[in-house]
Amino acid sequence: MNLDLAVLDAFRGLTGGDPEGIWRAPGRINLIGEHTDYNDGFVLPFALPQAAYLAASRRDDNRIRIVSVDLGERFETDLADLAPNHDGWHAYLAGVFWALREAGHDVGGADLALASDVPIGAGLSSSAAIECVLVEALNDLYDLGIDPMARAVLARRTENGYVGAPTGLMDQAASMLCTAGHALFLDCRSLSVDQVPLDPGAHGRAILVVDTGTRHSHAGGEYATRRADCEQAARELGVPALRDVAADGLDERLAGLSDERLVRRARHVITENDRVLQACAALRRDDFAALGELMTASHASMRGDYEITEESVDLTVQTALDAGATGARMTGGGFGGCVLVLAPVESLGAITAAVTTAFVDSGRSAPATFVARPSAGAGRLN
Ligand code: GLA
């Protein structure tokens, strides 16, 4: 069943009536620019067709009632009872009410029915999709007049302040602001954006996503330690953020850092920022060969310097390159999840077969794969 119909049905089951509207907000995949967002740097994600769908109506009694189609569960609370560090699937929704009210927006209760086909824990921003679809719905329903970037910032506030994950802005900005046929260049300091045309199909290429199926349970803790390392490196270098360090003459610039680990962490972030700028330039001249090289270099940097890859993503990248990919890299927070493979369309079959064989031969389950098409950001369906 289409997810818009699924949430309509579930909403009727919850309330006995029709919703005021149905909204959609997508997951994202990051073309390049990993772990740069919380360093005030650059990112280049695009929105996926996979998305969270929400049927919603206002309530006038400050109650929030939610039904999850995917889990077959319900949750109910009062606006007055919302408090940070709440866990469970509903935190990503309850936290949006909290973030909006904390920012001074006059938002009341709601009835909500949610469904999503963004794979969970795969590095495709399933949580940002949920936060963004609700911010979008409440902005419309309560006529809040919040602009799209401020809506993304509020969705991130939910994740940081309510759920308690110290993430950057990339995922929410992508879900909120991406447009079909484009990647979103975002400067995470100025919050300026640029829609960069991304149409690999017009050049005989495709972007294949390989979900390795690996989910690392310590990813949250590792994310926080990487972030702390970057902050320490910036402090030692006397700059507000690693964004402020130029990529040329890097060895010399980083030589004064107190620890070899900090040198590697900083080198990843600084060179990755530079790769994002180069990737934008490559896309603007339709140079997919250069884009592929930058993606592969990004992966090497995440593996060697940032140390956030693991065996299944490294195996996927190497196998895809050996089977004819133009470039390949892990995408998202790390320690598993998905690999993005840029390849000539005619090599997709061989690459998928080679990766599947490599997985099965090494005792893993065959990975899920799909071709990613840059899709639209959050919006109202009806
Ligand atoms: C997660 C976070 C993002 C970003 C990426 C790594 O997806 O939510 O803010 O830091 O990891 O690039």
Side-chain angles (χ1 to χ4, degrees):
M1 192 198 277
N2 292 339
L3 293 189
D4 52 342
L5 296 179
V7 294
L8 179 60
D9 241 33
F11 187 93
R12 287 176 175 153
L14 179 72
T15 68
D18 278 346
E20 289 182 78
I22 298 178
W23 288 259
R24 170 194 173 279
R28 64 95 191 98
I29 197 148
N30 189 20
L31 193 55
I32 196 160
E34 223 63 81
H35 289 264
T36 46
D37 59 355
Y38 54 80
N39 289 294
D40 276 4
F42 310 121
V43 293
L44 193 61
F46 64 88
L48 292 170
Q50 290 91 334
Y53 292 76
L54 187 76
S57 286
R58 287 167 290 180
R59 291 178 63 93
D60 55 16
D61 62 355
N62 285 345
R63 297 291 294 167
I64 304 170
R65 294 195 302 168
I66 314 172
V67 56
S68 160
V69 173
D70 307 322
L71 301 174
E73 287 180 22
R74 288 188 183 190
F75 174 77
E76 187 166 341
T77 190
D78 199 274
L79 285 177
D81 295 334
L82 298 178
N85 291 324
H86 159 134
D87 56 10
W89 61 272
H90 30 75
Y92 299 96
L93 293 168
V96 167
F97 291 87
W98 172 86
L100 285 167
R101 285 164 72 87
E102 206 208 19
H105 295 291
D106 190 14
V107 50
D111 284 326
L112 308 169
L114 175 77
S116 175
D117 60 1
V118 184
I120 293 173
L124 301 178
S125 296
S126 55
S127 59
I130 293 173
E131 294 150 3
C132 287
V133 78
L134 180 56
V135 174
E136 193 72 11
L138 294 176
N139 184 55
D140 286 348
L141 287 172
Y142 282 98
D143 213 4
L144 301 176
I146 308 170
D147 72 53
M149 183 58 83
R151 299 206 287 274
V153 169
L154 282 163
R156 178 198 179 185
R157 178 84 189 111
T158 302
E159 184 105 17
N160 294 170
Y162 198 82
V163 179
T167 56
L169 181 62
M170 170 170 68
D171 306 347
Q172 293 80 6
S175 183
M176 206 56 98
L177 294 156
C178 280
T179 57
H182 295 86
L184 180 82
F185 172 78
L186 168 66
D187 177 334
C188 298
R189 172 172 284 166
S190 70
L191 303 192
S192 69
V193 297
D194 202 359
Q195 302 286 349
V196 184
L198 175 61
D199 186 4
H203 303 274
R205 317 253 174 174
I207 295 174
L208 179 75
V209 179
V210 179
D211 183 352
T212 62
T214 305
R215 309 285 187 256
H216 196 291
S217 57
H218 302 304
E222 296 282 359
Y223 189 95
T225 59
R226 294 302 180 284
R227 202 176 163 144
D229 280 351
C230 291
E231 283 161 9
Q232 189 183 336
R235 264 195 310 277
E236 291 186 16
L237 292 166
V239 291
L242 290 178
R243 147 74 175 274
D244 298 295
V245 184
D248 60 306
L250 200 54
D251 289 349
E252 218 168 291
R253 287 179 207 278
L254 301 183
L257 288 174
S258 61
D259 194 303
E260 222 288 297
R261 191 186 74 246
L262 296 184
V263 172
R264 285 184 281 117
R265 304 296 188 248
R267 187 165 55 209
H268 165 72
V269 172
I270 296 161
T271 58
E272 184 78 350
N273 272 330
D274 192 53
R275 282 186 288 271
V276 176
L277 298 177
Q278 290 189 52
C280 286
L283 276 179
R284 292 200 183 282
R285 55 174 202 274
D286 294 329
D287 187 346
F288 284 89
L291 176 65
E293 276 174 28
L294 291 162
M295 289 168 62
T296 305
S298 167
H299 188 81
S301 178
M302 290 191 286
R303 189 184 58 219
D305 279 348
Y306 222 58
E307 297 177 286
I308 53 169
T309 71
E310 49 70 63
E311 275 177 20
S312 68
V313 296
D314 291 338
L315 176 68
T316 306
V317 167
Q318 196 50 54
T319 308
L321 291 172
D322 291 345
T326 314
R329 63 182 289 278
M330 184 190 72
T331 185
F335 306 100
C338 289
V339 169
L340 196 63
V341 178
L342 176 67
V345 171
E346 63 273 15
S347 309
L348 286 182
I351 291 170
T352 308
V355 172
T356 302
T357 303
F359 268 54
V360 172
D361 286 354
S362 57
R364 298 174 164 83
S365 308
T369 60
F370 63 91
V371 171
R373 286 185 189 79
S375 303
R380 186 174 190 148
L381 293 181
N382 55 37

